[in-house]
């Protein structure tokens, strides 16, 4: 029954992907037919990635790479060169300021994200010197339908620190360069004290920057 359910899940998922691809194509064809294709900013993305059996899971919500990483493709020939790729760390809160800047509209000061325009328009996807070095994540819908434990964390280009909290207290640390599948938890192991300290400092900085209420609850412990 488990294998049958998995196969049904994969078939349904692939059918959805096929439908998305087909309708993206229809949209692009329509924009081209009315002469607006190159005058339209097209962003292809999602809320989160999906587990397709990795770690024995399906769906999403955990901070592990399969669902923490999300697709992000942008087409706008007027400003973005074809085929440019970048390693800049982006977040979905960057979309609003990006579109506002492209539209020539002033970005409100209370928007937490950062415009991706400097990244998207740079030569060969070069990362600006003052760009963010880490991204923040927080999932707090528990207990609820999906039953994914509350957790928050920080990810840099190489490392990831996660804290599962609320009714548990578990930390996880991964070296994404040496362990891209996140199978070896390095938290508390010898030789990782300094990187853990640095990630902890970055975590607190980002919680304060994004005004996450969890920082107040943690400070009271």
């Amino acid at each position: 029954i488990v294998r049958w359910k998995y196969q049904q899940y994969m078939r349904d998922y692939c059918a959805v992907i096929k439908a998305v691809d087909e309708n993206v194509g229809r949209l692009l064809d329509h924009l081209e037919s009315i002469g607006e294709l190159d005058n339209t900013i097209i962003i292809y993305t999602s809320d989160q990635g999906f587990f397709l059996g990795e770690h024995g899971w399906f769906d999403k919500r955990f901070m592990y790479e399969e669902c923490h990483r999300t697709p992000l493709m942008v087409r706008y020939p007027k400003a973005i060169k074809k085929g440019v790729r970048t390693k800049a760390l982006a977040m979905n809160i960057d979309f609003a300021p990006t579109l506002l800047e492209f539209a020539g509209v002033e970005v409100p000061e209370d928007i937490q994200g950062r415009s991706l325009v400097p990244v998207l328009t740079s030569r060969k996807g070069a990362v600006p010197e003052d760009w963010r070095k880490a991204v923040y994540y927080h999932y707090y819908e528990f207990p609820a339908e999906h039953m994914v434990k509350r957790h928050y964390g920080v990810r840099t280009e190489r490392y990831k620190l996660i804290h599962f909290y609320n009714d548990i207290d578990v930390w996880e640390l991964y070296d994404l360069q040496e362990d891209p599948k996140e199978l070896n938890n390095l938290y508390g192991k010898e030789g990782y004290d300094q990187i853990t300290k640095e990630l902890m400092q970055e975590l607190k900085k980002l919680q304060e920057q994004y005004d996450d209420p969890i920082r107040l609850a943690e400070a009271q412990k």
Side-chain angles (χ1 to χ4, degrees):
I1 189 67
V2 172
R3 291 183 179 181
W4 180 85
K5 286 183 176 180
Y6 178 70
Q7 291 301 320
Q8 288 297 115
Y9 174 77
M10 289 300 295
R11 289 189 180 97
D12 289 345
Y13 181 85
C14 290
V16 170
I17 296 301
K18 184 174 185 294
V20 170
D21 286 347
E22 288 176 345
N23 285 285
V24 167
R26 291 176 62 194
L27 177 61
L28 295 178
D29 288 344
H30 174 69
L31 288 170
E32 186 172 26
S33 70
I34 63 174
E36 294 293 342
L37 179 59
D38 291 345
N39 191 39
T40 304
I41 300 173
I42 298 170
I43 299 178
Y44 187 101
T45 186
S46 69
D47 58 344
Q48 285 183 294
F50 244 64
F51 291 113
L52 299 176
E54 298 90 351
H55 299 283
W57 291 329
F58 66 95
D59 201 63
K60 48 186 179 179
R61 295 163 225 288
F62 283 101
M63 197 184 167
Y64 302 118
E65 286 294 275
E66 290 81 6
C67 58
H68 187 55
R69 294 175 64 92
T70 61
L72 177 57
M73 294 182 283
V74 184
R75 184 186 189 279
Y76 189 41
K78 287 187 175 182
I80 305 171
K81 293 184 178 180
K82 182 179 179 180
V84 172
R85 300 171 67 93
T86 180
K87 291 186 177 181
L89 295 172
M91 302 172 69
N92 55 12
I93 57 176
D94 298 332
F95 297 165
T98 299
L99 292 171
L100 289 172
E101 183 172 347
F102 269 135
V105 178
E106 185 177 352
V107 179
E109 293 183 0
D110 59 348
I111 282 186
Q112 293 179 321
R114 235 185 121 173
S115 172
L116 294 168
V117 170
V119 175
L120 297 172
T121 58
S122 65
R123 293 185 58 189
K124 299 181 180 180
V127 182
E129 291 185 6
D130 64 343
W131 197 251
R132 65 168 64 96
K133 306 301 181 184
V135 294
Y136 179 66
Y137 179 80
H138 189 179
Y139 182 83
Y140 44 82
E141 191 183 29
F142 177 87
E145 177 183 356
H146 301 288
M147 297 304 291
V148 173
K149 294 289 188 180
R150 299 184 190 187
H151 62 291
Y152 55 77
V154 61
R155 183 198 190 280
T156 64
E157 183 178 350
R158 177 168 179 174
Y159 294 99
K160 182 186 295 180
L161 180 68
I162 310 173
H163 182 212
F164 291 88
Y165 71 98
N166 188 39
D167 57 344
I168 57 175
D169 182 15
V170 177
W171 289 87
E172 296 181 7
L173 170 66
Y174 297 103
D175 181 341
L176 301 174
Q177 179 175 297
E178 301 298 325
D179 178 28
K181 293 185 178 180
E182 298 168 293
L183 300 176
N184 182 23
N185 182 9
L186 301 172
Y187 187 80
K189 291 188 177 180
E190 185 178 355
Y192 292 93
D193 294 347
Q194 184 58 36
I195 186 62
T196 300
K197 180 181 178 180
E198 292 173 4
L199 291 170
M200 287 284 192
Q201 292 173 343
E202 185 67 26
L203 182 65
K204 292 179 180 178
K205 184 186 82 172
L206 293 178
Q207 286 179 336
E208 183 173 348
Q209 176 181 332
Y210 298 125
D211 196 22
D212 189 338
I214 190 63
R215 64 190 176 88
L216 301 177
E218 295 288 287
Q220 294 174 356
K221 290 183 179 180

